[in-house]
Amino acid sequence: MNVIFLILILFLVGAIVTAFAGKWSSLLQDGLFILAVTIPAVLFFTQVEMNQLVGWTRGGIHLELGLTPFSYFFAILVLLLGVASAIYSVGFMHGKARKSYYYFNYLLTIMAMLGILFSRDFISFFVFWEIMTWASYLMVVMNGTRTQEIGIKYFVFSAIGAYAMLMAIVLIHAQTGNFLIQDFIDTYPSLAHGRQILIPILLLVGFSVKAAVMPLHVWAPGSYAYSPMSFTSVFSGALSKMGIYGMVIVFVTLLSHLPEGGLIRDIIAWMGAMTAVIATLWAIAQDDARKLLAYSSVGQLGYIVIAVAIGTPMAMLAGLFMAFMHGLFKGALFMVVGAVEKQTGTTDFTKVTGLIRKMPWTFLTALISIIALAGIPPLGGFIGKWMLYESLILSDHYLLVIVAFFSSTAAFLYAYKFLFGFFLGQEEEEWADVKEAPITMLIPMLALAVGSILLGAFPQLILKPINNGLISLGFSDSYGKLWETSTLFNEWGDKVVLQPIIYAIMGVFLTTLAFTYFRNRKRTRYVSTKDISTSGEIPLAHENLTFKENFFQPFLRAVEPVMKKQIDWYYREFGAGLEAIFNFTRRIYSGNGQTYALYAVIFLIVLLLLNGNLFGQ
Amino acid sequence: MREKATTLYLGPQHPGITGNMMVRLKVEGDTIVKATTEVGYLHRAFEKLAEKRNWLQTFTLMCRFCVPEPDPMEESYSRAVEAIEGRIVPERAKYIRVMMLELARIGSLLLWHAGQAGSTGLYTVGQWTVGDRNYILDLFEELTGARIYHMYIWPGGVRRDFPEGFADKVLKTMDYLEGRLKDYDNLMFENSIFQKRTQGVGYVSPKQIIERGVVGPVLRGAGIRSDIRIDDPYEVYDKLDFKIPTETSSDIWGRALVRREELRQSIRIIRQVIEKMPEGAIYNKVPNPQKWTIPPGDALARTESSRGEIGFYVVSDGSNKPRRVHLRGAAYVHAMTLLEDVLVGQNISDVSTIMNSLGTCAPEIER
Amino acid sequence: MQNDSRSQKIVDIIQAYARRHSLWILAYGTGCGAIEIPSTMTSRYDAERLGVRGAATPRQADVLLITGYLTVKTLKRVIRVYEQMQSPKYVIGFGSCAINGGMYWDSYNTIKMLDQYIPVDVYISGCMPRPEAVLSGFGKLQDLIKAGVADGPKRYEENFDWYRANQKKIIKNWNFADYNW
Amino acid sequence: MEILQYIFGGIITFLLAFVVGMTFGGTRRKIIARIQNRYGPPIYQNFIDAFKLFSKTSAVHHGAMHYMGPAFLMVSSVVSLMFIPILRDGGWFPNLNFHGDLIFLLYMMVFGSLGMALGAGQTGNPNSAIGVTRGLAQMVGYEIPWIMALVAMMIQFHTTSITGLMDVQLQSGTWNLFASPFAFVAAILASLGMFRYAPFNIVGAPAELASGPASENGGKYLFTMMSSHSVFAFVKLTLFADLFLGGAGNLVELLIKTFLLYMIPVLYGVVNPRYRTEQAVRWFWGWPTVFGIIAIAYAVWST
Amino acid sequence: MDKGKRFDTIRARIKENFVLSQDKIYADKNRLDISVSKQRTPAILFFCKEQLGFIHLMHVGIVDWIEDGTLELVFMLWSPTEKLRVYIRTRLNRENPVMENMDMIWPQLNTYEREFKEMYGIDFKGLIAAEEFLLEDWDGPPPMLRDFDTEAYAQEVFHTRPGREDAQDVREAIIKRSQEEIPDFAKKYSRQ
C-alpha cells in the first residue's frame, strides 16, 4: 500500500479506534489518540517522497494523490500544529465531557487537511474539503454554547464556499473532461475569457471563506471563539491556511495568465487590508480572550492575504512565512487561553487578573507569542512583516503599506490587552489558588513559543521549504536572492542582518535586567500588588483596582468618527442580511424531502445554464 | 465581590486634587461612572475651639478657614461681630477693607489661573501667575506684616494705616498686573487646545446650580447675575462702579471667562478705592480683649470671595467668648453633592479641571 | 569596592552631593501650609534651581513635606505614603502646627507632635513659614544630608515598634498591611 | 575582534547618547524655566537626578515583569541607537547601521512602549494601566504620519536604509529637508507625539494619572527609564538629522543639528496645555496625515 | 419703611398658613426671624422656597443651648428678588435630637445634615448618606456638643510637646535662655 494512503487510513482508523477506546479506558484513549497523530506524522516526514503520484480510475473518473513541494510546506504546518495540539488536547480535554467526539473529529480534521494537501484532482480535493468543513463544524458546535448562531454562521458560509467551489469544479470538468488539477492548469490559458474570469473567482470565493477574507469572514470570530481552544489552535493556525493554500495556487497558476489578474489581485489585496484593519479594531474592543484572538486571527489572515495577493516572489515568501508564523504563535496563544480557561473556568479579561505569578510558564508562552505577533524583532514575526512591507513598497503599493502598518501598530493594543488582561494587574483573592497548567499542556505551548524564537534566528528553516514550493509552482528561485545566511535583502540592496540584531537585543536586555535585578538586591523587597500608591488612600476590600472595563476607550473614541459608523453600518447591514440568510436556510433545511428534491433540480438548472450559453464558448 | 468598575483615587495625595480631599472615582474606560467625594482630612474643629477662646482669639482662628484668600473670612467675622455689637466702622477703614478684599480676590484668582491652567497641563501660565501673585503678597506684607494670614481686618476697623507711598505702590502693581493679563490671555484663553479642553466640559445646568445653592463664579457662569457685593452690599461697594460679568455656557470655559473678567473688575475697583478713599480714623477701638463682652444676639455676615459667598454665623450669649461661630464656605454646598453629580459621565482627564473650575476647596467643608 | 575605602569615600561624597541637590518633594498638600509651596516652586523663589521639584507618587519622591497640621485621618495616609517612599527619604515638618500643634493645640482631631509618628529631619517654624524660610529649611536639610545625619529611615527602622505603638494609639482602625522592613 | 569593536563602540555610543540626551533634557528644563520667568536648575541637573535615583538604597518590586519593563525600554532605545549612524563616516562610533534598515528601526522604536507597558501592568496600579492605554493609543496616532513620511522618502530615493538616505543627500548636495519637504513636515509633526512633551504628554499627565506608567517605579527603575528616555531622545534627534539634515560629519555639527531639532517639540510644548487622548490621536490623523499623503504623492510624482 | 412693609406682607402670608411660636422683624438688618416647632419646619421651608421666592439657603446655623437643653437650628434664607432674609428657627431636644430629613427641599441640606448628624448626633430620619463624614473611626461622643471637652481629650490622646502647658510668657523664657534684653519697642507689649 502506498504510504500516502497509509497515512490517511491510519488517521481514519485511529479516529474510529480512539473514539471507541474511551469505553474501556480514558488513559488508553489518550495514548491511542497521541499515537494516532504521531505515527502518521512520523511516517509523513520519513517515508513520503516528493512528486510521487498515486492514482486510480473508477467509473471514468481519474483520481490522483501526491505530494508537491508546495503542499509539503503546508503539511509541515498542519502536522506540527496537529501533533502539538494533540498533546495539548490530552491535557485540555482531561475530565471534560464528549472526549471521544472531540478526538474523532480532531483526527478527522487533520486527516482531511492532509488529504487536501495530497489531492491532485478536484474530486478528492472537494471531498476532503467537505470532510474538513464538517469535522470542524462539529467541533464548533461541540460546546453547545450559542450553537445556533455560531454554528449556523459557519455552516452557511462554508456552504457558500462549497457551492462556489462545486460550481467551479463542474465548469472545469465541462472544459477539460477530467478532474485533474494539472490538466486544468494546462488548459486554462486556452479557455474562453468569461470562463477564465469566472472559474478563478468561484474558486477564490471558496477559499476566501476559509481564509476569512472580508466580507466572507463573518463566521470566523464566533467559530474560533466557541470551538474548544485546543482545537482552535489548529482551526485558526492551520485550517484557515487551507484557504491560503488554495488562493496561492489560484493566484499563481491561473490569474497570472489573465489580463485582469492584476486587478483581481489588487482587489483581493485591498479586501485583505480592510479585513486586517477592521478585524484589528474589533479585536481591540473585545473583552473576552477567545474573541480577541478570534478577531486577531481574522486580522492576521488579512496580512497574509495581502501578501499572497500582491504575489511578487518576496511578497509570496512573506505571506507564506507569515502564515507559518501565524500558525505557531496563534496556536500557542489559543493554547494559552485554553490553559487559563482550564485553570480558572473563564476567559473574560474583566474577571481573570494577575495570573503571572500563578502561571509563569503560560505567561512566558504568551509573552513570546505576543512579541512574535506584534512583529517585534528578533522573533519570527518581524521577518514576515519586514518582507511584507518591503515587497509592498517595492511593488508600488504605497497606501497598502500605510494601511497594513496601521493595523499592525493597532495590533499592539490588543496584544497588550491580552497580556495585561490575564496575567498582569492586581492579584486578586479569588484567583489565589490557581495552579500552573498541567505539563501536557505546557510542553506543546512552550514548544510552539520556542519555534517562534527559532524562526527569528533561523528563518531559513522554513523559508527553504517555502522557496522550494514556490519554485515548484513556477516562481523563480527567490531564495538565493532574498535570503543569504541570516540576512534579509530587498531588491534595492537594503538588508537586515539578523545575528547582530539578536546579539544586540539579548546583550542590552540581559545587561539592563541584570542591573535592575542586582542593584540593591538585598534592599529590594517584594510587595504585593495591593501595596501601590493609591494616592495615599487605603483601598476598601471590595474595590477593584485593576483597570479592565472599556480598556481602550480613548483609542476607540478617537477612531469612532472614522470607523464606528462604517463598522456599525457594515455589521448592522450584514447582520440583517445574515438573519435573512438564516431564515432562508431554515426554510431550505425544512426537513421535507420534497423541497430538497426541488433544490437539487434548481441547482442543476443553474449549473446547466452556467455551463450553457450564458458565458459563451 | 469585586466591583466591575475600576476604582481610582484622586487624592488625598495627588497632583490633580485642589486640596486635601479625596474623590473616589469608579471608571470604566475613560469614563467616570460614579464619583464619591470623601472629606475630613482637614477637620481641625475651629468652631469647637472657638468655645474656649475670647472674641479676639477666635478671630485668629477664623482667618485660617480656607487658605487661598483669608481676608474675606476676617471681613465676615469682623462684620458679624460688629453687627451684633453695633460697632461703627470708620469710613476710611471701610475703603481699606474693600481694597484688601479685592487684592485678596486678585491673589486668589491668580492662584486659580495657575490651578486651572496647570490642571490642563499648561504650567507656564501657572508659573507666571503664581509669580505675579507675589507682588500682591508684597503689598499685603507691607501693609499688614504678613504674606498669607494678615489678621488685618478686625472688629472695629483695620489694624494699621497705609505706610507712606503705599497707594502709589498699589496703583503701580495694578498697572503691572494689567499689562500681564495680556500674556495670560495669549497663552491661556486664546489657546485653541485650552478651549478644546474646556468648552462644553463640566456642564452644570442653571436649574441645578440654583437648586444646590451654588454661588460665585459658577453661578454667574450659568448666566445668573448674582453677587453679594451688589445684592446685599457691604462696606462701600454700593459707592463703587463695577460690572458683574456673566456667561451663559455654564461650562468650564464660561466660568473661566467670568473669572478672567472679575480679575479686571477687581483692578478697576482698587483704582476707584484708592481714588475715593477719605482721610480719617481707621479703627474704632475695642476694649481689653479679655473683658470685651458682646451683648446677646446673632448675625450672619456674608462676603463675596473669589469663589463665592462666604457666610459667618456668629452667636453671642453676652459673655466674653462667642457662643458659636458657624462658617459657611463657598464650596460647602456644592463641593460634595454637586461634584459627585457633575463628574459622572466625564472623562478622567477632566476631573481636575472640573474641580478647579467649581472652586472646590476642601477646608471649607471640613473646618 | 567594599574594601577600597578611598573609592567608597568618593562614591559616598558623590552620592551625598546628588542626594542633596536632587530633592523631589511629594505633591501632598496635607494642610494649609501648602499655599506657600506654589510660591516656593515658582518664578520668584524658584526652588527648582536647588534641585527641588515635585514628584507625583511616593515611590519617586525623596522628601515628604508635612505642610502644617495633621488630622488623625490624614496622619493615617501620611504614614502609608511615608512607608511607600524609598529610602533615603526625608521629612520636613512645616509650620508651627507640625511642631507642637500650633493654634490647634487643644483640638481633638489634630496631632501635636509630628516626630512621635514619623521621623522628622527638619522643622520649619512659622505660620505660615515664608518661602524664604522654606528654602532655608531645604538648605538645612541639605546640610544634614551632607553631614550624614538625615537618617530618618534608619531611625524609623530601629525604633519601629515605638513609632508603630504611637501610631496605633491614635489610629483606631489599622486596615492596611504592616510594613515589612 | 569585530565583536569587541562593536561592543566597545556600542558603549561609547551609549555614553555619548546618554550624556547628550541628559544635557539636552537639562537644557530643556533651563529653557522652560527661563520662559516661565525663573532662573531654573543647572543644565547638569538631570545627571544629579539620575545619580540620585541610581543611589537610592531601597526598592520594591511586584514581580518579574516589573524588572523587565525598564529592560525592554532600554532595549528599544539602545538597540535603535546602535542601528543609527551617528556620524557619516562612523569614526569612533562603529555601530551596526549597515545591518538594519528603517522598517527594522520602526519596530525597534515602538517596542519600548510595549515593553514599558508590560512592566507598568505588573505593578497593578490602575493609573499605570490607564496611562498605558493612552500611550498605545497615541502611538497608533503618530505612527501614521511617521510611516507616511518614511515611505515617501523610501519611494523617492529608492532605498529603505538610513545610510542609503544619507548617501542620497551627500550625492545630490541637498538635504532631504528640501528634497522632500512634506515628508519632513509630516515627520516633525509626528515627532511631537514621539517626544511626549506637551500637548502630547498625556501618558504621565500628573494632574490626571499621577505620572501614569511610572507611578510605581522609583529608584533604580526610574533611573533606567530616565536614561532610556534620554538615549531615546538622542536616537530620535539623530535619526531626524540623518534623514532630513544630511547627517553630521563631526560631533559639533551633530550637536547643533540635533539641538535645533530638539527645540521644535520643546518650544511647542512650553506654551500649550495637554490634549485629551482622543483629541491627540485625531490631531495626528488630521494635518500631519494630510502632509504625509502629500509627501507620498510628491514622492511618486517626483520619481 | 419700605423694607418693613415688605416684611409685613411676608409675615402675613406665612401666618395665613402656619402657626408661629414667635416672630420678630429686624428691618435694619434686613431680616425676619420666625420660630417654629420642628414638625412644621419642613413645610414652612418649602413654603418659603416655593411660594415666597426665598430660593437661596444661605446657611444653616446650629447652636447648642446646653442651659436650655436644646439644640437650635437656624435656617437662613435669602430672596434674590426681594433682597430680604428670613431666618427660620427651630429647637430640638438635646437629649434626643430627632428631625425629619429635608434634603429634598435643598440638596445642599444633605451635607449639612451629614455634618449635624456626626457633630451633634442629630438623627435625621430618612437621610441617605455614608456613615462617616469628617471623622474617621470616631468612637467618642458627638464632639461639637458643648459638654465634650476637647482639651482634655487632646491631652489624653495626643503627645504634647513640653513647654506648652504652663502658658508662660515666652519673652521671659527667651531672656532666661539666652540672657537677652527685651528690646525697647517690645517692652510696652510685655505683661509686666
Side-chain angles (χ1 to χ4, degrees), chain A residues 14 64 71 88 102 138 154 232 276 282-283 325 332 360 412 432 466 480 544 570 616:
Chain A
E64 257 181 17
S71 37
Y88 179 88
Y102 175 87
L138 290 175
Y154 183 41
T232 312
W282 269 96
M325 277 310 299
F412 277 34
I466 294 175
N544 180 9
Y570 175 77

Side-chain angles (χ1 to χ4, degrees), chain C residues 14-27:
Chain C
I14 300 176
Q15 273 186 1
Y17 177 82
R19 279 173 189 162
R20 69 176 186 270
H21 285 97
S22 164
L23 297 168
W24 292 5
I25 57 176
L26 186 66

Side-chain angles (χ1 to χ4, degrees), chain B residues 298 324 328 332 367, chain E residues 31 58 62 67 89 115:
Chain B
D298 64 337
R324 175 88 168 111
R328 184 252 202 238
Y332 183 81
R367 311 194 287 264
Chain E
R31 80 186 222 209
M58 292 189 292
I62 182 164
E67 303 87 345
R89 295 161 175 278
E115 187 186 334

Side-chain angles (χ1 to χ4, degrees), chain A residues 403-474:
Chain A
V403 175
F405 194 82
F406 169 77
S407 57
S408 161
T409 319
F412 277 34
L413 271 66
Y414 69 69
Y416 180 69
K417 189 175 186 174
F418 182 82
L419 284 181
F420 180 79
F422 279 159
F423 299 104
L424 304 178
Q426 287 286 325
E427 292 173 27
E428 295 290 349
E429 282 289 309
E430 50 188 314
W431 309 118
D433 41 359
V434 171
K435 297 276 180 309
E436 178 59 284
I439 192 101
T440 43
M441 292 162 82
L442 277 184
I443 288 175
M445 265 155 51
L446 283 167
L448 291 184
V450 167
S452 291
I453 297 176
L454 212 59
L455 285 189
F458 309 104
Q460 60 267 46
L461 289 179
I462 202 68
L463 278 173
K464 203 169 171 98
I466 294 175
N467 192 49
N468 288 344
L470 288 177
I471 292 172
S472 78
L473 283 180

Side-chain angles (χ1 to χ4, degrees), chain A residues 336-391:
Chain A
V336 166
V337 177
V340 172
E341 187 187 10
K342 174 118 179 136
Q343 301 306 99
T344 66
T346 175
T347 55
D348 195 338
F349 289 136
T350 57
K351 294 203 179 88
V352 188
T353 171
L355 293 185
I356 176 167
R357 287 160 57 78
K358 312 287 179 336
M359 307 175 74
W361 293 105
T362 316
F363 172 74
L364 189 66
T365 315
L367 179 65
I368 294 169
S369 305
I370 281 291
I371 292 178
L373 181 148
I376 288 164
L379 297 196
F382 166 69
I383 291 160
K385 291 263 167 73
W386 188 88
M387 290 195 292
L388 171 66
Y389 295 137
E390 297 281 353
S391 58

Side-chain angles (χ1 to χ4, degrees), chain B residues 110 113-115 117-118 122-134 180 184 187, chain C residues 37-48, chain D residues 32-33 35-39 270:
Chain B
L110 287 174
H113 269 84
L122 184 54
Y123 300 113
T124 305
V125 168
Q127 296 274 352
W128 287 355
T129 54
V130 177
D132 289 342
R133 176 170 165 272
N134 282 324
R180 289 291 282 170
Y184 308 156
L187 230 61
Chain C
I37 299 305
S39 287
T40 314
M41 305 298 286
T42 53
S43 55
R44 184 183 289 180
Y45 299 98
D46 187 25
E48 200 184 356
Chain D
I32 288 178
I35 290 172
Q36 293 175 343
N37 272 352
R38 289 188 288 131
Y39 181 77
V270 182

Side-chain angles (χ1 to χ4, degrees), chain E residues 36-47:
Chain E
V36 287
S37 66
K38 72 173 179 190
Q39 286 81 4
R40 294 198 182 275
T41 311
I44 202 166
L45 283 176
F46 193 72
F47 180 77

